[in-house]
Each structure stands twice: as structure tokens, then as C-alpha cells.
Amino acid sequence: MRKEPRQARSRATVEAVIEAGAHILSEQGWVGFTTNKVAEAAGVSIGSLYQYFPDKVSLVGAIRRKHLDDSLAAVRNALTAGLPLAGFVEILVSNIIEAHRIHPGLHRVLLDEAPGLESYRNQNIQIEAQYISYFTEAVAMHRQKKTETSDETIGITISDAIDGVIHNAARRGNLHEPRIRHELVRMIRLYLGDAS
């Protein structure tokens, strides 16, 4: 971002721009994504948009960051619920699916079309580390049988499996299907040793 919003009104403007940008990316893809369309959809002037985002790539960076923050919150909220394994996995998968259902087409664009993904990953190594730490903590709490495989390795594997299934379901447009959710829950529970 070009500058940080300090006042409530400025923060509301930035949030509206990010939300409008996510909607347009989801519906029209990278080709249909322009700052003029985003400003119009957000109900702000193009000058107001440019106060915070110098170009559309920086706006995509903010949209990616919001998505990562939503994903972190989904895992953190499931973890802090203090539920046994079955309940934890149900809430975890539901939370992550909900975070991806808001703009289901967005994830395909962010992963496949929009530029800057590699540099964005490098800039947000800390977010990735936090995300993995939540999964590692969940594995330590819920793994039924200890093996020589570390909690962190299992956490990374579960995180990558969830991301792969959910991102591909979003790309295919079948994220809403109950069978996807059911099988993802079943897979995680089995991997953590829940045979019930």
C-alpha cells in the first residue's frame, strides 16, 4: 500500500476497495480487472483508490493478504474452540471452506492469472510460518498415535492437503458440494488416527 489508513473513514474506504477488487477478480478475472472498475464498484473516486494503491498489482497484493488473514483466522478459530478431534476437524474444514466461498473464482485468479505471486510469497514467509504453527499445534493436541514423524511435518501435510483440495474445488466450482467437505473431514480424521 502507498499509505496506511489511519482514520475509521479511511479504513472503510480501503476495505471497500479490497472487497470490490476481490469481487471483480472473482467475476471477471485478471483481464477484466481494472482500477477504474474497482473504484466504481467500491463507490470511491479513482483518486481515492490511488491514495492507497499505486497500481492494480499492489491492490492484488492487498487482496491476497486479506485472503491469507482470513485463512489464518479460520484455523486459529477452530484451534481455540477447544473441541475434541472430530469437532475440531469439522469446524476447521467448515471455516476454511467458508473463507473460500465468499469469492470462489478469486482463488483461481490469484493462483493462476494474477502476477506477483512469487514475490508475495517471499514477502509473507512469516504468515506461512504462523499458518503452519497453528496446524502443528492442532496435530500436537489431536494426534491419536505418536509416531516418529514430527507434529510439524504432519501439520504441513494436512495444511497442504486442505489447501490443495479446497483451492482445486474452488477452481472447479464445486466447493459447495457436501461430499467434498465430508471427504476432506474424513481424510484428516483418518490421518490423525481417528478410526471411528
Side-chain angles (χ1 to χ4, degrees), residues 4-168:
E4 284 293 320
R6 304 253 182 247
Q7 299 175 342
R9 192 170 132 215
S10 300
R11 286 192 298 273
T13 297
V14 167
E15 288 172 16
V17 167
I18 291 171
E19 177 62 26
H23 177 76
I24 290 169
L25 270 177
S26 178
E27 297 295 316
Q28 299 179 29
W30 179 249
V31 173
F33 182 71
T34 68
T35 52
N36 283 328
K37 286 181 183 177
V38 172
E40 183 181 339
V44 302
S45 70
I46 192 70
S48 293
L49 184 146
Y50 283 132
Q51 278 185 347
Y52 300 101
F53 305 102
D55 54 35
K56 69 183 192 175
V57 174
S58 66
L59 178 53
V60 168
I63 292 167
R64 279 191 176 112
R65 175 61 195 245
K66 170 130 179 32
H67 171 62
L68 290 172
D69 288 344
D70 291 346
S71 296
L72 279 173
V75 180
R76 183 178 54 246
N77 292 340
L79 191 56
T80 58
L83 296 170
L85 175 61
F88 164 74
V89 173
E90 289 281 345
I91 291 201
L92 174 69
V93 171
S94 292
N95 287 354
I96 294 175
I97 287 173
E98 285 309 308
H100 287 77
R101 283 177 69 163
I102 298 167
H103 299 293
L106 174 66
H107 307 86
R108 178 191 50 76
V109 177
L110 290 178
L111 293 167
D112 300 336
E113 296 178 19
L117 182 59
E118 284 309 313
S119 65
Y120 193 78
R121 280 185 183 143
N122 293 337
Q123 293 169 6
N124 288 281
I125 252 358
Q126 185 178 8
I127 291 173
E128 175 74 6
Q130 188 175 13
Y131 192 64
I132 296 303
S133 76
Y134 287 153
F135 278 98
T136 301
E137 184 179 343
V139 170
M141 288 173 54
H142 294 291
R143 183 159 55 153
Q144 303 295 304
K145 295 178 186 171
K146 296 291 181 187
T147 64
E148 55 196 49
T149 306
S150 72
D151 291 342
E152 182 180 27
T153 299
I154 293 173
I156 289 169
T157 304
I158 291 172
S159 165
D160 288 351
I162 290 171
D163 286 350
V165 169
I166 289 180
H167 288 161
N168 283 322

